[in-house]
Amino acid sequence: IQTEELEEKKRESVDLKQQIHDLQLQLASLSQSENDLLESNQKLKEIIERLKQECQHARTQAEKAQLETEKTLEYKRIEWLEEKHVLTQRITEKEEKYNQVKNRLCRAAVAQKKRKTLTDNKQRRMQEKLELLEAKIEELEKENQVLNRQNVSYEEYARLQKRLKDLQRRHNEFRSLILNPNIPSLNPVSIMSSSALPHGPEASFPLLQ
């Protein structure tokens, strides 16, 4: 019985040794795994630290870029406002100049219209006076023909001839003035007043007075 028990103990001891060996192998494997995990953990910590530094650097760069962008936008905004003010001022000046030119053109057009009206009226009056002069010249020519057929003194005949030439000259001046308005105008009142015939034998002709 003791021998059997001893054999049993030996077998149990061998089994226990095998289990111990197996446990030692497992322990060695677990130790290696632990070391691997610790090494991996250390590497992960280093990676995390590096990523933290990179994130911090990126955040710093982003904040710096944001500040630069805000400064640039503010500068551009101020520059745009200044350009807008300058352009608005230029537009206002151009509008004022345009209005001034427009007003001058309107005044010039009104003045030109008035001058044209005055010129037309003046030419119309001068045309009427010219027609009157032509009628007087025609009447003088008729009177001259009558005097040629009558016994008239030489002095009276010479005076009428001179008067006829004077009227013809004034008639030509009026005609030139009407046809060429740019020529300095004569004084039609003085011409007409000077064209009045003196009192004498020709007073019997109404058109000559």
Side-chain angles (χ1 to χ4, degrees):
I1 294 170
Q2 289 178 355
T3 302
E4 290 178 357
E5 289 178 357
L6 183 59
E7 291 294 332
E8 182 69 24
K9 294 293 184 180
K10 287 182 179 180
R11 287 193 295 271
E12 291 178 358
S13 176
V14 171
D15 292 336
L16 288 174
K17 287 181 180 180
Q18 184 65 37
Q19 291 178 6
I20 290 171
H21 180 69
D22 294 337
L23 290 174
Q24 287 177 348
L25 292 177
Q26 291 178 4
L27 179 61
S29 178
L30 289 174
S31 297
Q32 184 66 33
S33 298
E34 183 181 6
N35 292 330
D36 293 339
L37 289 174
L38 290 174
E39 185 177 358
S40 299
N41 189 22
Q42 183 64 30
K43 290 181 179 180
L44 289 175
K45 286 182 178 179
E46 293 176 356
I47 292 173
I48 290 173
E49 185 65 24
R50 187 174 69 253
L51 291 175
K52 284 182 178 179
Q53 293 178 359
E54 291 179 356
C55 288
Q56 183 65 29
H57 180 71
R59 181 180 298 172
T60 303
Q61 293 295 326
E63 291 176 354
K64 184 178 179 181
Q66 184 176 1
L67 290 176
E68 292 293 333
T69 303
E70 290 177 354
K71 289 181 180 179
T72 303
L73 289 176
E74 183 67 17
Y75 174 77
K76 292 294 183 182
R77 188 181 69 85
I78 295 174
E79 185 179 7
W80 177 78
L81 290 175
E82 292 177 353
E83 291 180 356
K84 180 182 178 182
H85 176 70
V86 172
L87 290 176
T88 303
Q89 192 173 10
R90 288 182 180 177
I91 291 173
T92 303
E93 292 176 356
K94 295 296 183 182
E95 288 178 350
E96 291 177 356
K97 290 182 179 179
Y98 169 76
N99 291 328
Q100 292 176 0
V101 172
K102 182 180 178 181
N103 292 333
R104 285 199 298 268
L105 289 176
C106 290
R107 290 195 297 270
V110 172
Q112 184 178 3
K113 185 176 181 181
K114 289 181 179 179
R115 286 195 300 270
K116 187 176 183 299
T117 303
L118 293 175
T119 303
D120 293 341
N121 294 334
K122 184 177 180 181
Q123 288 185 352
R124 180 176 53 80
R125 291 193 300 270
M126 293 180 68
Q127 183 66 31
E128 293 174 354
K129 293 177 180 180
L130 179 62
E131 293 175 357
L132 180 60
L133 275 177
E134 290 176 349
K136 287 186 177 183
I137 291 173
E138 184 179 357
E139 187 66 24
L140 276 176
E141 289 177 350
K142 291 180 180 179
E143 180 65 15
N144 190 22
Q145 294 175 1
V146 172
L147 291 177
N148 286 333
R149 294 193 295 268
Q150 296 178 357
N151 294 325
V152 180
S153 65
Y154 176 78
E155 291 80 6
E156 186 68 19
Y157 177 76
R159 188 176 63 80
L160 289 176
Q161 285 290 100
K162 182 179 179 182
R163 189 59 187 156
L164 177 60
K165 290 180 180 179
D166 185 61
L167 288 176
Q168 288 176 343
R169 179 178 60 81
R170 284 169 170 76
H171 172 267
N172 293 331
E173 290 177 355
F174 265 109
R175 182 179 297 277
S176 299
L177 185 60
I178 291 175
L179 296 178
N180 300 294
N182 294 328
I183 298 177
S185 60
L186 301 174
N187 189 349
V189 177
S190 62
I191 294 177
M192 291 304 298
S193 61
S194 63
S195 64
L197 292 176
H199 297 286
E202 66 274 18
S204 60
F205 302 96
L207 290 177
L208 299 179
Q209 296 180 1

